């Protein structure tokens, strides 16, 4: 016998978790609430419960709706495997594969097409009005699998490459406090995690990949952390998005392609984006937009190169190479100690003949841009049928390629009071020196050497 | 049947965990020790045990005393919710609230007033003399709730705002090795975690807030990490404190108000404080005191603004705005790549008319202070009845406020051999140029622009 | 009753886990595979399983061989304690010790001497050919203990100090995806973790110490993270090693002595090594070799001092003090914002009378080395019988020692296009100024002050 506050979905009397785990969990939630009412409320305690999902394949046909605090849903396996690679293996080779699907404690979300409304497509939907805000809901170590993408007209060859299916893994609709999402796997969802109005949210050590967008912090929020995750969105979506947020910490993430952006901030202030390894196939890797101000972008490693995998080549996010790998609309931000590698084919630059831009202050005053190291080299676009092999090959190729001419920093007119230090030579940095401060990175006495390198 | 080394507090024959979980756990510890003696000691193995606390409300009337290695105590829910907010909601509105208390696997500590001695007020007390040091005790994913603060004369209106109750969550009194505290919740304790003489301690991914002090590493210690936590102490206490420590790593923490300091180090050497997001309502956010030397403070984001929440306005930590947001007494420290936002009301500056100081070397030689970006703006003190809303509003407010004059770096006389680079203009940095090295941050050609900004 | 996909090793009918947990787990794996074949394969799901190891001492006489995805093996206790210290306590004092061995959910690996082939000495061996790559195998919160080191001729006094026994904790031999190793303890293994061809690997929050080498990422790999670990290898081995890797993130680790290197990279590109606290007794703390390029080494804290513990004094890694604490063979790397403390006995410098080197570019072009703070002081070699006390004492000793003359940066001839900024004085940096760019750290007007310090 175990505590009444410990539920195993495979042991619950109502419903069949393998057929519809949504029905089972909702029924468990009813039981928790019923028992909370019955308890002597001397101290009013409502400690919540834990729901355990052992490894297994569990279809979800009914959305789980959560409106109680202190609920933990946990499995024993984040279960990620690449569906994207497999969907681009010819089907007649599937019988040779060891396995076809993700696994672990795996939720198979069968909600697709159920509705046009975004919230209706969420496997886990959390909403509570009134006070206090819903608190301490935890998701840990299971897999949410959206199974298929669908034809949205964007891919004539293979609808499984569209990143569209209307399905969300976890959707938190109302103001929330001290939630935790850790050790989870998210795969083939149009949206991995959506959270509105988050306070003290932890998104830590998850695997969120092959999703349209991975993490979206919407509405507004504060004092949260997105740390130590492996993340990679689709070509249309965000790996990490936040709006109107204060005090966000985004650190120690390894963000891989192919998101339209790695980190996209709108109206975000006084936040720290540091120490992330970011890799993208398009410009606009990190975007600070809509007056995002007083943030620090420091000690990150950013790599932009070309998509080497044939099935997804030809996609883009619509941004030109003059957009910047880091683009800023905002004031008083700090950009220190970042490494940028720009590895692109001169013939693929858009618009044709343009000089690519690395750090771009579109509008903004008082930004401090210092000690960033930009490495730019020409590389020919190649193509491979194997996703993994092609990426490894591309990553490990660092022959002494020819230097590529770039603007390391571009401060647009009408921006003033910005400071640019040691982030490029006189020729590489473009700004109005009357309105902004500038110190060029020193160059060797032999200028020919420099020209050879840059 | 499960292993004899797995205990569930709700299944144990002795005591009632809901009435006194302390009695239950102490009785389990006796059982573990009794069985260890009985085991054939060919290889002398004493593997320890795990004690599981399912979600639920467990009163603790007897202190848990731990003197064996390899003990894991774990729950299924860190259970944090804000008691501070609720205690400042009028009681006649409590019946409208969804819940009143923290939850999850929750220990309700009923030790208050039991003693004047600090150690007696600890829910979990770990002490062992002799050799080897006690090792590998782990606490994971449960909640320790001190329930109430008490009247200590500091708050006439509401004793629940005093941060005083004599209760500690975890108190490690003797030298210890390889302890782990992860995924826990700590709330309404005068001291969250106290650890003396720690080696290779992990405090990772916890939620430690609304405690007098959160983490105190006392005595001495080495080679430990405080990483990826959400932390916020009371106005009298420390969020993170360490003394006589070598090789401490404090990184990826999101420290929110209202601690007297965010990070306070005394006699700490060769440690790394990087990559933290720090927010405080008072000066003295990061203090390196008592000859703390050869530490690196890098890539942090520090925000100092005013308390916007009415019930706790008027508190302070007794430090003037000339104290510095970062204050150093020590040698050969490194301060690189930090962002500081100082957002204060000119009329609230103390002492009246003073120029606030950001980085302050009180005494110390050979410190290297480079590429720090200081943003200082005037903002009027406002007040709100809602804690969450007010903080969000304050954080998101970044209108083009008027610049505030500050000393970005102040090196006091008698300090020499310090280096200050690109961390403020000639006017903003005060030091003896004979004894210290200085390079001003370059300014735009149009000086009027600069004056407009600063 | 629990799910069929949940196995407890102490409940399994075949074999005795205390006598040979390898036989038990292999038998469970057979059962999982047999049941996978029986399942209706409408959707081809093979979710895997979890195998639970309660706290206890489990001998492993048969290697565990894993060839299925989505397997989680987990315990309830990482169980680290120092065997190294205990093996250097006189045996007649052992009876006074509280415990002799590591604990928790502990695997005692009895494979030593079973074979000369490295793979045969692995407790857990993972290998699968064909497609897809094996995915999502997880190891969590148990202890792998190699028990003894053996006489290899390197230590006449105590064979337990050799770091040699042919045993590996986890050996992943074939290409793998999305593996997780978290919360584990590794002790007294010649190799802690070996992984070939890793993609999206997570090695997070483990305790890996007193192993010959701790983490070895071999072959090639990409997009992985080694984060937030406590790590300390033996004098012959690597704490963290990677070869031919792209997109590796090594951050927030606390690496303590006595590894031959803390981080050793060969042919690694576009990776981020940031924010680590590193401590070593020998030069060559961080090595970028074999054309490791476009990496960023930023915001780390590196301490090199002497071994204070008598039983392991006299060891070294064969490198001279002119090798560099950070040594680079490669192009276009970034080295920003690191703190180095070099604390050595002038009489112990090798070769005799040489000037120690801190950052050493052996060959390489286009490297950007900026804003590194090097502190170098003389300290007399001391010796102690107690490992812990001696290390603490050494760490906390920071008297105003006499400055030690060092080369803060040395760029060897034939290297060009490198940039060295604010990382040492004219006298401390050696490079060809025709071929490389240089800006000295400014010095105080009173030069005597500087000389006093350096």
């Amino acid at each position: 016998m175990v505590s009444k506050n410990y539920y195993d979905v495979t042991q619950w009397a109502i419903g069949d978790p393998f057929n519809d785990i949504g029905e089972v969990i909702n029924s468990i939630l009813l039981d928790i609430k019923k028992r909370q009412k019955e308890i002597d409320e001397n101290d009013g305690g409502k400690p919540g419960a834990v729901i355990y999902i052992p490894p297994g394949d569990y279809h979800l046909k009914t959305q789980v709706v959560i409106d109680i605090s202190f609920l933990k849903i946990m499995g024993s396996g984040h279960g990620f495997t690449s569906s994207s690679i497999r969907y681009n293996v010819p089907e007649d080779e599937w019988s040779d594969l060891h396995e076809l699907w993700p696994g672990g404690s795996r939720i198979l979300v069968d909600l697709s097409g159920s509705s046009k409304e975004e919230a209706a497509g969420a496997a886990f939907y959390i909403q509570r009005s009134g006070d206090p805000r819903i608190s301490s809901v935890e998701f840990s170590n299971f897999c949410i699998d959206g199974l298929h993408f669908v034809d949205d007209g964007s891919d004539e060859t293979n609808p499984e490459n569209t990143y569209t299916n209307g399905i969300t893994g976890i959707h938190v609709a109302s103001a929330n406090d001290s939630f935790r999402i850790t050790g989870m796997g998210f795969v083939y969802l149009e949206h991995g995690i959506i959270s509105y109005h988050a306070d003290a949210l932890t998104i830590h050590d998850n695997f969120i990949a092959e999703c349209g967008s991975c993490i979206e912090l919407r509405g507004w929020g504060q004092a949260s952390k997105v740390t130590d995750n492996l993340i990679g969105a689709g070509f249309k979506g965000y790996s990490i998005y936040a709006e109107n947020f204060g005090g966000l910490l985004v650190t120690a993430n390894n963000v891989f392609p192919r998101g339209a952006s790695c980190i996209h901030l709108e109206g975000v202030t006084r936040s720290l984006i540091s120490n992330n390894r970011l890799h993208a196939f398009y410009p606009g890797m990190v975007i600070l937009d809509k007056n995002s101000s007083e943030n620090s972008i420091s000690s990150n490693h950013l790599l932009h190169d070309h998509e080497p995998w044939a099935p997804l080549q030809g996609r883009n996010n619509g941004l030109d190479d003059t957009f910047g790998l880091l683009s800023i609309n905002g004031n008083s931000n700090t950009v220190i100690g970042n490494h940028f590698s720009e590895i692109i084919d001169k013939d693929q630059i858009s618009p044709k003949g343009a000089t690519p831009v690395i750090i771009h202050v579109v509008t903004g005053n008082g930004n401090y841009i210092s000690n960033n190291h930009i490495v730019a080299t020409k590389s020919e676009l190649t193509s491979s049928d194997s996703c993994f092999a092609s990426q490894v090959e591309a990553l490990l190729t660092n022959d002494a390629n020819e230097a590529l001419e770039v603007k390391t920093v571009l401060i647009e007119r009408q921006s003033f009071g910005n400071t640019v230090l040691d982030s490029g030579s006189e020729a590489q940095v473009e700004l109005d020196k009357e309105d902004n401060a500038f110190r060029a990175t020193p160059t060797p006495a032999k200028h020919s050497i420099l020209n050879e390198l840059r």
Side-chain angles (χ1 to χ4, degrees), chain A:
Chain A
M1 202 199 89
V2 291
S3 159
K4 285 181 178 169
N5 293 329
Y6 181 101
Y7 297 83
D8 180 327
V9 292
T10 67
Q11 305 303 310
W12 187 241
I14 299 165
D16 172 0
F18 302 104
N19 179 59
D20 184 9
I21 194 170
E23 183 193 357
V24 169
I25 293 179
N26 284 337
S27 155
I28 291 172
L29 289 169
L30 279 177
D31 187 66
I32 296 168
K33 285 190 272 192
K34 179 166 152 277
R35 292 192 303 106
Q36 283 183 342
K37 278 196 191 149
E38 290 167 0
I39 292 170
D40 172 20
E41 301 215 7
N42 273 338
D43 59 4
K46 295 179 178 175
V50 55
I51 299 175
Y52 177 55
I53 305 170
D57 271 6
Y58 305 89
H59 289 270
L60 183 146
K61 295 170 181 163
T62 307
Q63 180 179 70
V64 174
V65 180
I66 297 173
D67 62 353
I68 60 167
S69 295
F70 319 126
L71 180 73
K72 178 167 191 165
I73 303 180
M74 68 176 195
S76 297
H78 80 295
F80 183 87
T81 201
S82 175
S83 283
S84 184
I85 294 175
R86 195 246 315 154
Y87 277 127
N88 289 286
V89 170
E91 278 206 40
D92 59 9
E93 297 176 17
W94 286 21
S95 59
D96 296 335
L97 299 178
H98 290 294
E99 66 251 344
L100 298 180
W101 298 95
S105 295
R106 174 181 174 230
I107 310 283
L108 296 76
V109 187
D110 293 334
L111 297 174
S112 63
S114 64
S115 167
K116 294 292 178 196
E117 202 212 341
E118 183 184 77
F124 293 86
Y125 182 76
I126 298 97
Q127 202 280 332
R128 187 172 81 176
S129 52
D131 288 312
R133 294 167 291 161
I134 187 166
S135 299
S136 285
V137 175
E138 302 189 36
F139 297 89
S140 176
N141 205 219
F142 64 95
C143 180
I144 308 180
D145 180 2
L147 298 167
H148 294 278
F149 291 132
V150 300
D151 193 353
D152 63 359
S154 73
D155 191 306
E156 293 173 8
T157 316
N158 191 343
E160 295 289 4
N161 293 340
T162 62
Y163 293 93
T164 298
N165 63 12
I167 304 179
T168 298
I170 297 172
H171 182 128
V172 191
S174 56
N176 58 91
D177 187 24
S178 55
F179 274 37
R180 288 171 56 84
I181 301 175
T182 60
M184 296 284 293
F186 297 83
V187 57
Y188 259 63
L189 302 158
E190 185 166 337
H191 305 273
I193 300 167
I194 294 171
S195 179
Y196 284 86
H197 317 324
D199 188 10
L201 169 65
T202 291
I203 299 181
H204 175 68
D205 196 20
N206 300 286
F207 198 110
I208 316 177
E210 303 186 355
C211 291
S213 287
C214 294
I215 299 171
E216 294 162 85
L217 307 181
R218 297 186 188 167
W220 35 258
Q222 70 169 358
S224 295
K225 59 188 170 82
V226 175
T227 59
D228 220 315
N229 299 286
L230 295 165
I231 307 178
F235 60 90
K236 296 181 304 189
Y238 311 110
S239 280
I240 301 171
Y241 170 84
E243 64 181 343
N244 306 323
F245 224 95
L248 179 63
L249 174 62
V250 176
T251 191
N253 298 289
N254 197 328
V255 180
F256 31 84
R258 49 192 62 81
S261 62
C262 293
I263 301 174
H264 190 129
L265 308 179
E266 298 187 333
V268 168
T269 64
R270 296 163 193 158
S271 292
L272 178 57
I273 313 297
S274 65
N275 202 36
N276 299 287
R277 183 262 165 174
L278 309 173
H279 181 195
F281 294 145
Y282 324 118
M285 296 180 65
V286 177
I287 297 176
L288 275 65
D289 205 357
K290 298 193 179 171
N291 199 25
S292 287
S293 296
E294 297 185 38
N295 302 292
S296 183
I297 313 292
S298 62
S299 290
N300 299 287
H301 188 288
L302 296 92
L303 164 64
H304 171 217
D305 57 8
H306 290 302
E307 167 81 72
W309 193 37
L312 284 166
Q313 284 185 324
R315 301 312 188 281
N316 65 68
N317 65 356
L319 299 178
D320 284 340
D321 289 303
T322 54
F323 185 85
L325 299 190
L326 166 59
S327 167
I328 298 175
N329 283 284
N331 303 314
S332 301
N333 295 290
T334 299
V335 180
I336 294 184
N338 300 288
H339 175 107
F340 296 81
S341 282
E342 169 88 323
I343 318 293
I344 54 179
D345 185 338
K346 203 156 200 277
D347 295 336
Q348 300 291 320
I349 291 172
S350 71
K352 284 280 175 202
T355 303
V357 175
I358 306 303
I359 301 174
H360 191 181
V361 177
V362 182
T363 65
N365 309 322
N367 294 295
Y368 181 103
I369 298 166
S370 171
N371 294 80
N372 298 286
H373 182 210
I374 290 94
V375 179
T377 49
K378 296 174 194 168
S379 163
E380 280 183 33
L381 181 63
T382 57
S383 182
S384 167
D385 286 339
S386 160
C387 179
F388 180 58
S390 66
Q391 289 194 23
V392 168
E393 192 181 359
L395 278 161
L396 297 180
T397 302
N398 66 333
D399 310 326
N401 288 320
E402 199 183 344
L404 174 76
E405 190 188 341
V406 295
K407 289 280 171 209
T408 58
V409 183
L410 168 60
I411 312 269
E412 298 283 355
R413 299 273 155 178
Q414 268 74 54
S415 298
F416 57 87
N418 298 290
T419 303
V420 178
L421 307 179
D422 300 326
S423 298
S425 66
E426 286 277 351
Q428 291 174 318
V429 176
E430 181 177 327
L431 79 178
D432 183 328
K433 289 187 192 166
E434 290 291 307
D435 287 346
N436 300 284
F438 175 58
R439 184 175 69 224
T441 310
T443 54
K446 278 190 199 162
H447 272 285
S448 57
I449 298 283
L450 188 77
N451 293 335
E452 200 171 317
L453 276 177
R454 310 258 182 214

